[in-house]
Amino acid sequence: MARRKKCPEEVSERWAIPYADFLTLLLSLFIALFAVAQAGKQAALEYAQAFARVFGMRLVPFQETLPKQILPQPVVPRSEPTEKGRKIQKQIRELEEMLKRMGLEGEFKVAYEVIGIRLILQEKLLFNSGSADLKPEMYPVLDKIYEIIRELPNPVEVEGHTDSIPISTERFPSNWELSSSRAASIVRYFIAKGIAPERLKASGYADTKPIASNTTPEGRAQNRRVEVVILNIKGSELTKQAPQQP
C-alpha cells in the first residue's frame, strides 16, 4: 500500500503586519526629518523645544556642554590710562555718578585695554528687551559719552552683544540682526550729535563673545550689552601696557 504524502505546512504571514508597521513608522520619521530640514534652523529649534517641553527636558546650547578650562586662557596684558586717558577718567567718573543718582550704578563698567578704553553698557540701560530703539529717558547717558569722544580724534567702535537665547521676529530674525541694529542705533545717535561718520563703526557679535555664563539669568543679563570702544591711534594714545609685576 502506497504511503500518503504529508501536506506541506502552510507558511504563516503574521510577520507582515509588524513589518508593515515598522516601514510606516520609518517613512514617517524620514518625512518629519525632511520637513524639519526644509523649514530652516529656527523652525528646527522650535520643534526641538516643543519635544523637550513634552518630555520635561531642557535644551542646552552645545558650547555650554563642553568642559571648561580645556585650553589655557590667553593672558591679557594689563593696561593703564596714559596722561591723556586720565583726563577722560574724570568725565567717566561723572557718568558713573550720574548713573548712581539714577539707581543704575551696576549697569555700567569701564575697562582699560591695550587697544583703548572700553565703556560697557548693559542692555537695560539703553534698550527694552528685544528692541533696538533707544530709550529717550537714557539720552543723557549717551550725551555724556558724546562729550567724552567729541574732542578726540580717535576712532570709535560700537559693539552689540546678546545672550544665547534665540530671537526670531520679523525685524530681527536672529541675534545677529538685533546686536547689529543696537550698535547702529548708537552710531546714528552720535552722528546726529555731530560726530564725523568716518570715525564711527557699528558691529554686531550676537552671542559669540560672552563675558559670563549663559546658563544663569544673571550671566545672560551681563552678556546683553553694548560696548563703546575708544581706540588708540598714534599721537592720541589713551592707554598703555602697565609694567609687569615681578
Side-chain angles (χ1 to χ4, degrees):
M1 188 174 181
R3 184 178 296 179
R4 295 178 59 187
K5 294 183 179 180
K6 292 184 178 180
C7 295
E9 294 182 3
E10 294 183 1
V11 178
S12 173
E13 294 185 356
R14 285 179 296 177
W15 60 269
I17 296 175
Y19 181 66
D21 289 342
F22 172 74
L23 289 180
T24 302
L25 290 173
L26 193 61
L27 178 62
S28 301
L29 173 62
F30 284 128
I31 291 173
L33 291 174
F34 178 76
V36 170
Q38 294 299 308
K41 181 180 178 182
Q42 183 59 35
L45 180 61
E46 291 173 1
Y47 289 139
Q49 289 173 336
F51 279 114
R53 284 194 296 271
V54 169
F55 292 103
M57 301 167 65
R58 186 176 74 89
L59 293 182
V60 179
F62 174 73
Q63 62 268 27
E64 293 177 13
T65 67
L66 298 176
K68 301 293 187 289
Q69 305 293 337
I70 293 178
L71 298 175
Q73 296 298 303
V75 178
V76 179
R78 289 180 59 254
S79 299
E80 61 184 22
T82 61
E83 183 178 349
K84 193 168 189 176
R86 283 193 289 272
K87 293 178 181 177
I88 294 175
Q89 275 185 313
K90 180 182 177 182
Q91 294 172 292
I92 293 174
R93 281 194 289 268
E94 291 173 359
L95 174 57
E96 290 172 330
E97 286 298 320
M98 174 197 292
L99 294 172
K100 187 175 182 180
R101 291 193 298 271
M102 297 168 71
L104 296 167
E105 59 181 316
E107 306 302 320
F108 172 80
K109 296 177 183 177
V110 58
Y112 297 94
E113 303 176 357
V114 173
I115 61 170
I117 298 177
R118 186 180 299 271
L119 308 178
I120 305 170
L121 302 99
Q122 302 303 140
E123 173 194 55
K124 67 179 291 187
L125 202 57
L126 300 174
F127 304 100
N128 291 317
S129 179
S131 171
D133 299 324
L134 293 167
K135 294 180 180 179
E137 65 270 25
M138 293 300 166
Y139 287 167
V141 175
L142 289 177
D143 290 341
K144 209 67 178 171
I145 297 175
Y146 161 74
E147 292 175 6
I148 294 173
I149 65 178
R150 67 177 175 180
E151 302 299 334
L152 296 171
N154 303 61
V156 176
E157 180 173 359
V158 182
E159 301 178 356
H161 301 270
T162 69
D163 60 21
S164 62
I165 303 297
I167 186 172
S168 180
T169 65
E170 185 176 350
R171 185 178 178 188
F172 307 118
S174 72
N175 280 322
W176 289 103
E177 287 80 9
L178 177 61
S179 59
S180 301
S181 296
R182 286 179 168 179
S185 293
I186 295 175
V187 164
R188 286 196 298 270
Y189 187 87
F190 288 152
I191 291 174
K193 296 289 289 185
I195 301 296
E198 56 268 22
R199 284 185 56 201
L200 299 168
K201 176 183 177 182
S203 303
Y205 292 96
D207 62 338
T208 61
K209 294 189 175 183
I211 56 176
S213 171
N214 276 307
T215 58
T216 64
E218 295 77 14
R220 291 193 292 272
Q222 290 185 57
N223 290 330
R224 298 191 298 269
R225 68 198 190 279
V226 173
E227 300 182 354
V228 179
V229 188
I230 311 171
L231 298 166
N232 290 331
I233 56 173
K234 189 172 183 179
S236 186
E237 294 87 355
L238 305 176
T239 62
K240 62 182 180 179
Q241 188 169 335
Q244 292 188 349
Q245 303 265 339

